């Protein structure tokens, strides 16, 4: 690539700078066109890149003849992923078009893309270049975003023609035009009104519109989402068909309810109650697929359940029964639960199905004790019925999950042991059992094998994402949470981004089911110091959760807690404290101090106190929390160790080194028993013990602990890890000994 004048030379320099920046960014790999050499000193100025025989996308497409649609879409997906990597690194391409996409082939002859020509590119954050020690070739010190209509007219976003600044969404617009062109097989065709008539697939029409909307704010916010949507096209198509079938069933039920309302004008049911009815009917109708005899039984069962939901459950909204015009959903469920036994006397399968539907509604309201009672009664009804074995296994798994999630660990262990001794009869049931076994192992603090087991199950759940989305979504949430808790934050971010892309494709971006995924992604981003993005995600999730679920719902409180954590990370301590205190008060009143998330709020509030130098408040709260953690998980569990570690740190801040040393010595023994062999927490506990002993004048003991801790950290996490570096600094500050005299490696 040659340049013959000053402007061309500047373009070459910009491309070199952008390439060096992207070369440092993870994920681009072979999809970024490399630069082998350059000459910027004397004419002719040039860049040298590997020769790509396939030419650009338009040339390759014309030469290839007939290209199957899945292969076309895969090429666009690869471009989207590569653009996303560039955007993550703060780079806008600004000239996305077929001529800047080269088509190479791998060893098997499979075509793949190489995104090229960043000569018009823009680095949004020039400070990033300084951090990576990359010279600003082609970029001035003061260069900022501004109005720019450079690029190829066919692919220019409307806002650029209107004088607005380029953005990642203007790159997305160009990609949307290319998607349209590759679908119809014509790279000369512009995207003009009426383009929808050229695209026969409604999902692809949605994807093109999502990229090429005239309003940039309505376009996809991340190019990765387009890649995920294109690669999940078949899954989305199946989900759409299933959704349409469910919608038709919902309309049938709605019409039936409307007829009932016409007969009894006072029957006013909330949307939540209708959802309970639809969910129960859908759940039961799915099971009508076995032998004819069972199908007839299930159909009769579904009809009986629907009669109960419309006549009994909704009937409790009658003001002549309730004495009030508006009855809360929770009260309607409680009244209906009392009527179930009499209503279905001698019909155990029907009563169990109704109680299962009521339990699901209680779970949605985060009334876990009431849900537990309903599931236990349903299990008792089916326990002696061999023909209901599969449903009984499902209920026992549901109960085990509910107990595990609400910290009823002994009860969860009993159900897991029962299921392990007599495994479920279906492949899906055995998969769910393996997942809860891994999660229970994780809850005990045995992180590495538990995560390995969860990761091994991922392909099976990926296959279930279209057929059984609720189960697959729940698995991905648990896997992401496990990554967060074990400090594998990049893996957590990947899982939650995948999950949110699925939610967006399957349900729409504003669906309430995405809230848990938003919470997990916000937490992972905050833990990995991407606080600005985390703040944006969690503020939106907080607003939607309160509007949809109410501020005291379990999920609303978890989201608010994560948002408070971001305020803490941003040193907005007053906001963090106020929000943590509000969340903690609501959790204590609703769920009690033994609840896992309540304990998290206590730990986080103590950290905020410490950040405000209120160490007496920190120690008091940590002491209370430590007693709870020991009662719940034992002295050697990682949560207990972390709580005591933080308390000892705050005792040191108060100058109470003797108390800190005694606690740390006790912790060290527990850590050696309870932690995994390569857990850095053990080394952190030991070097902090060395610090306390050094402050007490016990230099020989202190030096021994420092030396052992530094050697351990070097062996397990490496010399460059911040825990190792911090141990070395504290050792030098405490004893005046340089790192080179430390024992070990």
């Amino acid at each position: 690539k040659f340049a013959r004048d000053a402007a061309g030379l500047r373009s070459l320099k910009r491309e070199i700078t952008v390439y060096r920046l992207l070369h440092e960014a993870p994920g681009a790999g072979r999809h970024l066109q490399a630069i082998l050499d350059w000459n910027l000193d004397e004419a002719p100025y040039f860049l040298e890149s590997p020769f790509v025989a396939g030419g650009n996308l338009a040339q390759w497409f014309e030469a290839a003849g007939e290209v199957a649609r899945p292969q076309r879409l895969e090429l666009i997906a690869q471009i989207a992923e590569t653009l996303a990597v560039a955007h993550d690194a703060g780079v806008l391409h600004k000239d996305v078009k077929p001529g800047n996409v080269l088509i190479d082939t791998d060893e098997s002859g499979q075509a793949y893309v190489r995104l090229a020509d960043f000569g018009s590119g823009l680095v949004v954050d020039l400070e990033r270049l300084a951090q990576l020690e990359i010279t600003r070739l082609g970029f001035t010190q003061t260069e900022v975003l501004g109005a720019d209509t450079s690029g190829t007219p066919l692919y220019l976003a409307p806002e650029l023609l209107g004088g607005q600044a380029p953005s990642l969404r203007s790159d997305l617009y160009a990609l949307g035009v290319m998607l349209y062109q590759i679908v119809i097989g014509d790279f000369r065709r512009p995207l003009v009104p009426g383009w929808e008539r050229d695209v026969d697939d409604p999902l692809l029409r949605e994807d093109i519109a999502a990229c090429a909307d005239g309003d940039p704010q309505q376009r996809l916010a991340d190019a990765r989402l387009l890649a995920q949507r294109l690669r999940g096209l078949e899954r989305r198509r199946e989900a759409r068909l299933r959704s349409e079938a469910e919608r038709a069933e919902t309309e049938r039920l709605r019409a039936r309810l409307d007829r009932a309302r016409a007969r009894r004008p006072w029957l006013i049911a909330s949307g939540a109650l209708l959802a309970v009815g639809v969910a129960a009917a859908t759940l039961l109708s799915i099971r009508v697929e076995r032998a004819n005899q069972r199908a007839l039984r299930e159909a009769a069962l579904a009809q009986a359940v629907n009669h109960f939901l419309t006549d009994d459950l909704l009937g409790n909204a009658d003001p002549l029964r309730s004495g009030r015009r508006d009855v809360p959903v929770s009260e309607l469920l409680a009244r209906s639960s009392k009527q179930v036994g009499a209503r279905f006397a001698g019909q155990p399968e029907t009563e169990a199905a109704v109680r299962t539907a009521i339990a699901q509604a209680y779970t949605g309201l985060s009334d876990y004790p009431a849900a537990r009672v309903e599931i236990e009664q349903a299990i008792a009804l089916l326990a002696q019925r061999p023909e209901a074995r599969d449903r009984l296994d499902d209920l026992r798994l549901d109960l085990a999950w509910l107990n595990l999630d609400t910290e009823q660990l002994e009860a969860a262990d009993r159900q897991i042991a029962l299921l392990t001794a007599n495994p479920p009869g279906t492949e899906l049931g055995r998969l769910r059992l393996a997942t809860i076994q891994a999660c229970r192992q994780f809850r005990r603090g045995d992180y590495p094998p538990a995560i390995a087991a969860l990761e091994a199950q991922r392909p099976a759940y990926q296959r279930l994402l279209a057929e059984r989305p609720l189960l697959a979504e729940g698995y991905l949430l648990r896997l992401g949470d496990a990554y967060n808790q074990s400090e594998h934050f990049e893996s957590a971010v990947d899982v939650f981004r995948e999950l949110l892309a699925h939610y967006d494709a399957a349900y729409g971006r504003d669906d309430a089911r995405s809230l848990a995924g938003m919470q997990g992604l916000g937490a992972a981003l905050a833990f990995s110091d991407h606080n600005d993005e985390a703040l944006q995600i969690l503020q939106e999730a907080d607003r939607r959760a309160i509007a949809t679920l109410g501020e005291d719902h379990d999920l609303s409180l978890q989201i608010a807690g994560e948002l408070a954590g971001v305020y803490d990370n941003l040193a907005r301590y007053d906001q963090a404290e106020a929000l943590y205190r509000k969340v903690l008060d609501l959790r204590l009143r609703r769920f009690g101090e033994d609840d896992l998330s309540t304990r998290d709020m206590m730990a986080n509030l103590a950290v905020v106190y410490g950040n405000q130098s209120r160490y007496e408040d920190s120690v008091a709260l940590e002491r209370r929390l430590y007693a709870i953690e020991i009662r719940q998980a034992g002295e050697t569990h990682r949560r207990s160790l972390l709580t005591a570690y933080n308390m000892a740190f705050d005792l040191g801040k108060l100058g109470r080194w003797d108390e800190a040393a005694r606690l740390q010595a006790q912790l060290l023994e527990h850590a050696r028993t309870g932690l995994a062999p390569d857990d850095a927490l053990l080394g952190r506990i030991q070097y902090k013990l060395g610090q306390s002993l050094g402050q007490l004048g016990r230099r020989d003991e202190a030096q021994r602990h420092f030396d052992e801790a530094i050697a351990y950290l070097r062996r397990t996490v490496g010399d460059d890890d911040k825990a190792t570096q911090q141990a070395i600094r504290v050792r030098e500050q405490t004893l005046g000994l340089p790192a080179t005299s430390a024992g070990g490696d």
Side-chain angles (χ1 to χ4, degrees), residues 81 114 151 219 229 256 268 291 309 416 422 438 465 610 617 625 630 638 664 669 720 742:
E81 283 187 331
R114 288 185 179 273
R219 294 175 205 151
R229 289 169 73 138
R256 180 176 178 179
I268 302 174
L309 293 170
I416 293 172
N422 189 17
L465 203 53
D617 292 333
L625 177 60
I630 290 176
R638 199 173 193 275
Q664 288 158 342
E669 294 305 313
D720 296 332

Side-chain angles (χ1 to χ4, degrees), residues 577 581 605-615 617-618 621:
E577 180 186 351
R581 290 175 68 88
L605 180 57
V607 171
V608 174
Y609 286 150
N611 289 336
Q612 297 171 303
S613 300
R614 294 163 54 184
Y615 299 115
D617 292 333
S618 294
L621 189 54

Side-chain angles (χ1 to χ4, degrees), residues 225-257:
L225 295 178
L226 177 62
Q228 292 164 347
R229 289 169 73 138
L230 295 178
R231 287 171 175 157
L233 194 63
E234 290 305 315
R235 184 179 69 245
R236 292 164 57 204
R237 188 169 288 114
E238 293 170 1
R240 177 68 58 86
L241 291 173
R242 188 170 58 252
S243 176
E244 289 173 354
E246 291 173 356
R247 188 179 300 113
E249 177 66 7
T250 299
E251 290 304 318
R252 188 187 68 78
L253 289 172
R254 192 187 305 278
R256 180 176 178 179
L257 288 174

Side-chain angles (χ1 to χ4, degrees), residues 56-201:
N56 65 43
L57 179 60
Q59 294 166 339
W60 175 85
F61 191 82
E62 184 176 354
E66 188 66 27
V67 180
R69 178 173 285 182
Q71 186 179 9
R72 304 184 200 182
L73 299 181
E74 172 58 24
L75 295 176
I76 297 293
Q78 292 175 17
I79 301 169
E81 283 187 331
T82 312
L83 267 182
V85 171
H87 292 162
D88 288 347
V91 173
L92 305 181
H93 190 287
K94 292 179 55 191
D95 195 15
V96 177
K97 61 182 180 181
N100 288 335
V101 176
L102 306 180
I103 304 299
D104 208 342
T105 53
D106 59 21
E107 294 177 354
S108 65
Q110 187 69 31
Y112 67 92
V113 306
R114 288 185 179 273
L115 187 59
D117 197 350
F118 282 84
S120 300
L122 185 62
V123 177
V124 179
D125 183 7
L126 295 181
E127 292 304 315
R128 176 67 175 158
L129 298 176
Q131 293 170 7
L132 295 172
E133 300 181 351
I134 296 174
T135 305
R136 291 188 175 102
L137 291 175
F139 293 90
T140 66
Q141 178 70 30
T142 58
E143 187 167 14
V144 295
L145 286 173
D148 186 353
T149 57
S150 64
T152 304
L154 194 61
Y155 303 94
L156 279 179
E159 67 271 15
L160 298 184
L161 297 174
Q164 296 183 32
S167 68
L168 63 87
R169 285 185 165 92
S170 51
D171 279 354
L172 261 292
Y173 178 88
L175 191 58
V177 176
M178 288 177 59
L179 174 59
Y180 164 69
Q181 293 175 329
I182 205 168
V183 168
I184 66 172
D186 185 352
F187 286 103
R188 292 178 295 275
R189 186 86 63 90
L191 189 75
V192 296
W195 64 263
E196 297 88 349
R197 291 190 294 271
D198 300 329
V199 181
D200 58 1
D201 189 323

Side-chain angles (χ1 to χ4, degrees), residues 9 52 101 105 175 208 307 399 402 447-448 521 533 545 559 621 708:
L9 176 60
V52 179
V101 176
T105 53
L175 191 58
I208 295 168
H307 275 305
L399 182 58
L402 181 60
Y447 289 171
L521 177 58
E533 185 180 358
I559 290 170
L621 189 54
E708 291 180 5

Side-chain angles (χ1 to χ4, degrees), residues 373-399:
V373 169
E374 297 297 330
I375 296 176
E376 288 173 343
Q377 291 188 54
I379 288 174
L381 287 163
L382 299 181
Q384 304 303 320
R385 303 188 70 81
E387 69 276 14
R389 164 71 191 278
D390 291 349
R391 194 174 307 134
L392 181 61
D393 288 338
D394 286 342
L395 285 169
R396 285 177 170 152
L397 284 162
D398 290 343
L399 182 58

